[in-house]
Amino acid sequence: MTIEYATRYRSASRIPADPGKPYVIEKGEGDRAHLFGDLITIYAGGEQTENTFNFFTCEGPKGDIIPAHLHRDTYEVFYVTQGAVRLFVEDTEGHQQEKLLTPGDFGFVPKNCPHAYRMERHHSQVVGVAAGPGGTFERFFETLGAPAEQLGLPHEPLVPAPPQFASVPQQYDVRFLPDHQWSTQ
């Protein structure tokens, strides 16, 4: 059983806010949120790491591409543990590439590089790590999406209204690029 803590973000969190406190979380028992058709589970974030990195999983069904976005100050890692995920990325010179990642494959996206991804198989899962001088962005998922207490994917995709996308860049270092086109798609 995982202990629950009260934090400034949640009345009941499965991860302690104290950065000096070791902890263990059972599989799937981190702080969960639904966004788009996915379930995001946060295991460590800014509160635990003094804003140096976060660690989360994202699992979802085969589906639509997650919108193009970038992080001005954050580096992001994609490590696939289940299924298949297609990663789209554009470097700072405008060169685009896409790659199908399967279990054990690793993708790295430097700061300021537009990127997106699409789950290519049902029950795909990505382990994500993000780090950078601007802090961490894990609370973005439940701010733009919705906190989730239950395990499992949302019954209906949770797609935020367009004005909500504009509200997150300053606080979470996530800037959506609604007009971005992928030539590789």
Side-chain angles (χ1 to χ4, degrees):
M1 184 172 120
T2 302
I3 298 171
E4 290 193 346
Y5 304 88
T7 72
R8 65 184 174 140
Y9 295 106
R10 291 173 168 249
S11 60
S13 174
R14 292 162 185 89
I15 50 181
D18 181 3
K21 185 174 187 121
Y23 63 95
V24 174
I25 296 178
E26 294 176 14
K27 180 181 178 180
E29 288 298 318
D31 289 350
R32 296 182 291 268
H34 288 148
L35 181 58
F36 306 113
D38 299 339
L39 170 68
I40 294 90
T41 306
I42 301 160
Y43 293 93
E47 290 177 308
Q48 296 74 40
T49 67
E50 297 178 335
N51 277 329
T52 57
F53 72 93
N54 61 24
F55 183 95
F56 59 92
T57 59
C58 177
E59 56 188 287
K62 181 177 180 178
D64 295 330
I65 192 167
I66 299 303
H69 61 283
L70 62 78
H71 312 286
R72 293 233 183 262
D73 292 317
T74 304
Y75 300 85
E76 190 169 5
V77 166
F78 293 79
Y79 182 80
V80 176
T81 58
Q82 294 177 45
V85 177
R86 187 168 306 276
L87 179 62
F88 300 86
V89 66
E90 181 178 305
D91 66 23
T92 55
E93 285 129 26
H95 299 107
Q96 293 186 358
Q97 60 179 310
E98 74 173 71
K99 179 70 176 166
L100 181 66
L101 304 176
T102 58
D105 289 343
F106 173 93
F108 176 74
V109 179
K111 66 181 182 177
N112 286 311
C113 290
H115 58 285
Y117 67 91
R118 180 176 59 223
M119 302 291 192
E120 296 288 352
R121 293 188 194 136
H122 291 300
H123 307 290
S124 292
Q125 183 181 56
V126 176
V127 171
V129 175
T136 62
F137 64 75
E138 70 281 348
R139 297 298 169 187
F140 151 81
F141 298 116
E142 62 196 28
T143 300
L144 192 61
E149 291 306 316
Q150 71 281 4
L151 291 172
L153 303 177
H155 296 292
E156 295 290 324
L158 199 154
V159 180
Q164 289 179 276
F165 286 100
S167 69
V168 296
Q170 297 77 20
Q171 188 173 5
Y172 298 107
D173 192 27
V174 180
R175 191 178 107 205
F176 284 94
L177 307 166
D179 298 323
H180 195 81
Q181 298 294 314
W182 295 105
S183 61
T184 60
Q185 213 168 345

